[in-house]
């Protein structure tokens, strides 16, 4: 809807170890639920985050590792507030 969003993204990964055994892992990376009020978005889920001093890479947060479960508050639009 205009105010709520849900993304359900189940993932299954299979890998073989050095002995030839297959290991299966399941996760919900990329899944979230969010609500919009005015220009604010409140979301909960496992979303990739980018933050840092550069556009190319970040020392504090990037998409190198799997996302963690987080509660976040962000702006819907980057437009400046009216004066």
């Amino acid at each position: 809807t205009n105010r709520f969003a849900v993304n359900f993204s189940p993932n299954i990964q299979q890998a073989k170890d050095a002995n030839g055994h297959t290991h299966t892992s399941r996760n919900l990376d990329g899944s979230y639920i969010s609500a919009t009020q005015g220009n604010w978005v409140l979301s909960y889920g496992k979303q990739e985050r980018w933050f840092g001093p550069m556009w190319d890479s970040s020392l504090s947060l990037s998409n190198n590792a799997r996302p963690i479960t987080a509660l976040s508050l962000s702006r819907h639009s980057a437009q400046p507030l009216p004066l």
Side-chain angles (χ1 to χ4, degrees):
T1 66
N2 291 337
R3 294 198 50 205
F4 298 99
V6 175
N7 185 36
F8 181 65
S9 180
N11 302 294
I12 298 174
Q13 298 172 339
Q14 291 186 337
K16 288 189 177 184
D17 61 14
N19 297 328
H21 297 101
T22 302
H23 299 279
T24 303
S25 66
R26 295 171 179 87
N27 61 57
L28 294 174
D29 293 355
S31 298
Y32 64 87
I33 183 169
S34 68
T36 305
Q37 177 64 40
N39 196 32
W40 295 100
V41 178
L42 179 66
S43 63
Y44 176 78
K46 291 187 146 209
Q47 298 171 286
E48 290 183 347
R49 306 283 181 197
W50 285 91
F51 177 80
M54 298 179 279
W55 288 102
D56 295 334
S57 66
S58 166
L59 296 175
S60 58
L61 192 61
S62 72
N63 72 346
N64 260 352
R66 289 187 43 228
I68 61 171
T69 303
L71 178 66
S72 68
L73 180 65
S74 59
R75 290 182 60 190
H76 188 264
S77 172
Q79 296 178 354
L81 297 173
L83 297 175

